[in-house]
Amino acid sequence: SQKIEQNSEALNIQEGKTATLTCNYTNYSPAYLQWYRQDPGRGPVFLLLIRENEKEKRKERLKVTFDTTLKQSLFHITASQPADSATYLCALDNNNAGNMLTFGGGTRLMVKP
Amino acid sequence: GAVVSQHPSWVICKSGTSVKIECRSLDFQATTMFWYRQFPKQSLMLMATSNEGSKATYEQGVEKDKFLINHASLTLSTLTVTSAHPEDSSFYICSAGSKGGWGNQPQHFGDGTRLSIL
């Protein structure tokens, strides 16, 4: 069966450090992978999209990698700040379902001052 | 960026009540809108895909007679939870894609509706 796995345990890091979140998938062949941020009681906010033929994408302090061989995406936040504390969701387009997005369970990031 | 407005933000009502949730795309035309449900500390689960002017497509296990979706215009989709019961209590979120919302485009989400059925 298809699975998207993100670490369900919260990631706690110190302010200024780099946060790295992982998204692993099985039985998918996504052409696109997206990352979203979700704050408590709010809807997700789009951050980055990376295509299968792209190894890396950057936006300000954010960096996403996409390894289709390992079936894994890494999401990095450099120089992390307490304001970066949130839940981060990865989402894959599902070729078997009209390319609609399927979301992982999310990883909660806590950045301590 | 694209703005999606969802209303109401929270609802508390008695069992048996029907509740309507509105999702509006404020600055773009959304030919497709998506409705999700999210339980605490869990991921978003797609309930249905709503296409303007046609019937919604429901995911497996989602009762279409229970969750009525209407997408009468390019800027408005509604979800009505009919005869709601406590097990329907959840966080409901809509999203819209600027070009259909498929995997190659970001989805723009509303801020969700917290539904609590007593």
Side-chain angles (χ1 to χ4, degrees), chain A residues 34 36 38 42 99-100 104, chain B residues 38 43 102-103 105 107 111:
Chain A
Q34 302 187 19
Y36 290 78
Q38 186 176 24
R42 305 294 295 274
N99 290 327
M100 289 184 291
Chain B
Q38 187 176 35
S43 185
W102 307 124
Q105 296 289 336
Q107 288 190 19
D111 266 341

Side-chain angles (χ1 to χ4, degrees), chain B residues 38-60:
Chain B
Q38 187 176 35
F39 291 106
K41 296 187 179 180
Q42 293 189 25
S43 185
L44 281 74
M45 298 302 296
L46 181 65
M47 298 175 65
T49 304
S50 166
N51 294 297
E52 185 266 336
S54 63
K55 291 183 179 179
T57 302
Y58 290 82
E59 294 299 298
Q60 192 172 11

Side-chain angles (χ1 to χ4, degrees), chain B residues 14-32:
Chain B
K14 293 181 179 179
S15 185
T17 306
S18 291
V19 178
K20 179 186 279 189
I21 302 169
E22 291 188 349
C23 181
R24 294 180 184 274
S25 58
L26 298 184
D27 54 358
F28 67 99
Q29 293 184 333
T31 54
T32 304

Side-chain angles (χ1 to χ4, degrees), chain A residues 10 13 17-18 32 47 64 66-67 76 82 85-86 88 91 111:
Chain A
I13 65 168
K17 301 292 186 183
T18 296
Y32 307 92
L47 296 175
V64 170
F66 191 8
D67 190 324
H76 306 271
S85 299
Y88 291 86
V111 181

Side-chain angles (χ1 to χ4, degrees), chain A residues 5-11 20-24 88 105-108:
Chain A
E5 293 182 330
Q6 294 185 257
N7 194 342
S8 58
E9 292 183 14
L11 176 64
T20 298
L21 286 71
T22 306
C23 177
N24 295 298
Y88 291 86
T107 297
R108 192 161 65 95

Side-chain angles (χ1 to χ4, degrees), chain A:
Chain A
S1 62
Q2 295 176 324
K3 275 186 183 179
I4 303 173
E5 293 182 330
Q6 294 185 257
N7 194 342
S8 58
E9 292 183 14
L11 176 64
N12 294 293
I13 65 168
Q14 203 65 36
E15 182 177 8
K17 301 292 186 183
T18 296
T20 298
L21 286 71
T22 306
C23 177
N24 295 298
Y25 58 93
T26 54
N27 296 322
Y28 272 98
S29 296
Y32 307 92
L33 190 148
Q34 302 187 19
W35 282 89
Y36 290 78
R37 167 183 174 142
Q38 186 176 24
D39 291 286
R42 305 294 295 274
V45 175
F46 171 76
L47 296 175
L48 280 167
L49 179 153
I50 187 166
R51 294 171 172 74
E52 62 176 341
N53 61 351
E54 297 177 312
K55 296 291 185 187
E56 184 179 295
K57 201 81 170 278
R58 291 176 185 260
K59 179 183 176 183
E60 297 173 350
R61 294 185 295 113
L62 308 180
K63 185 178 84 171
V64 170
T65 63
F66 191 8
D67 190 324
T68 55
T69 302
L70 290 178
K71 294 186 181 297
Q72 180 183 77
S73 175
L74 298 179
F75 178 79
H76 306 271
I77 305 176
T78 58
S80 59
Q81 304 166 1
D84 295 325
S85 299
T87 295
Y88 291 86
L89 306 165
C90 70
L92 282 64
D93 80 302
N94 188 336
N95 291 332
N96 296 328
N99 290 327
M100 289 184 291
L101 288 181
T102 303
F103 285 82
T107 297
R108 192 161 65 95
L109 172 67
M110 297 286 292
V111 181
K112 297 180 179 178

